[in-house]
């Protein structure tokens, strides 16, 4: 997985492909939400939505997802039970999503349940991908993470 991290880092260092920022949108009864306009592909390529860590969803553009698949086929042989579990959860929960005519995506029910998505979501930039969080879970997580961020930034300044 170290090599795939390098791949994602290399891809993200192209500033045009960097996912940053925080965007809040409502979710309708059918599980549809607006997709941040800044990240809509001109090519009409689909996105891949899958289970992420900390009970959020990861949303990858098609190019990054293809790179992930290529890397997994080459580097992550599912011999250990941990690798098998990782591959099974990441790929079995994945869904291809496309933008509709007005720029929305539809989040499948099983992924909404996994991430406890309700009426409002946050798209949070995570460099190589977007994360989709329930707004209340995100606000709680971000509050805790900001304390860790402050501690770590202080340690960096001390160097």
């Amino acid at each position: 997985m170290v090599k795939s991290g390098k791949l994602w880092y290399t891809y993200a260092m192209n500033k045009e492909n960097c996912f940053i920022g925080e965007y809040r949108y409502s979710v309708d009864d059918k599980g549809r939400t607006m997709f941040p306009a800044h990240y809509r592909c001109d090519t009409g390529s689909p996105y891949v939505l899958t289970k992420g860590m900390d009970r959020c969803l990861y949303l990858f553009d098609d190019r990054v997802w293809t790179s992930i698949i290529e890397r997994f086929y080459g580097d992550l042989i599912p011999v250990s039970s941990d690798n098998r579990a990782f591959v099974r959860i990441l790929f079995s929960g994945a869904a291809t999503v496309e933008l509709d005519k007005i720029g929305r995506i539809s989040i499948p029910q099983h992924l909404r349940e996994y991430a406890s998505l309700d009426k409002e979501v946050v798209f949070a930039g995570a460099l190589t991908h977007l994360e989709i969080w329930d707004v209340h879970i995100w606000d709680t997580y971000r509050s805790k993470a900001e304390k860790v961020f402050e501690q770590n930034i202080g340690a960096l300044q001390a160097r």
Side-chain angles (χ1 to χ4, degrees):
M1 275 194 257
V2 172
K3 289 182 183 177
S4 12
K6 289 179 186 176
L7 173 79
W8 291 357
Y9 174 82
T10 301
Y11 179 81
M13 288 303 94
N14 176 349
K15 291 181 184 175
E16 294 174 11
N17 300 326
C18 219
F19 290 103
I20 60 173
E22 182 178 309
Y23 309 87
R24 294 174 182 244
Y25 298 104
S26 60
V27 178
D28 70 16
D29 294 338
K30 295 180 181 178
R32 297 175 300 196
T33 185
M34 292 303 294
F35 186 80
H38 182 73
Y39 297 115
R40 295 179 192 162
C41 288
D42 294 332
T43 62
S45 296
Y47 296 89
V48 175
L49 190 59
T50 191
K51 295 175 180 178
M53 292 181 238
D54 301 312
R55 289 291 196 193
C56 72
L57 302 178
Y58 288 173
L59 189 138
F60 297 97
D61 74 21
D62 194 47
R63 293 169 294 176
V64 173
W65 185 253
T66 299
S67 297
I68 291 168
I69 291 171
E70 289 169 358
R71 189 55 78 174
F72 275 106
Y73 275 118
D75 295 334
L76 187 64
I77 300 170
V79 174
S80 76
S81 62
D82 287 346
N83 283 358
R84 285 192 307 275
F86 180 81
V87 167
R88 287 173 179 150
I89 296 303
L90 183 70
F91 291 99
S92 69
T96 301
V97 294
E98 296 188 38
L99 299 178
D100 66 12
K101 293 177 184 178
I102 62 172
R104 297 176 301 189
I105 59 168
S106 182
I107 303 172
Q109 181 65 31
H110 73 282
L111 292 174
R112 290 196 314 267
E113 289 172 4
Y114 171 81
S116 302
L117 302 182
D118 194 22
K119 295 291 181 190
E120 190 177 1
V121 296
V122 174
F123 284 78
L127 194 60
T128 60
H129 61 283
L130 287 170
E131 295 182 350
I132 302 175
W133 294 77
D134 174 80
V135 69
H136 302 295
I137 295 171
W138 170 253
D139 288 342
T140 300
Y141 176 82
R142 188 185 60 202
S143 178
K144 291 176 186 176
E146 284 173 347
K147 292 174 185 164
V148 173
F149 172 78
E150 289 174 12
Q151 293 169 349
N152 288 336
I153 201 75
L156 288 174
Q157 291 174 342
R159 288 185 185 183

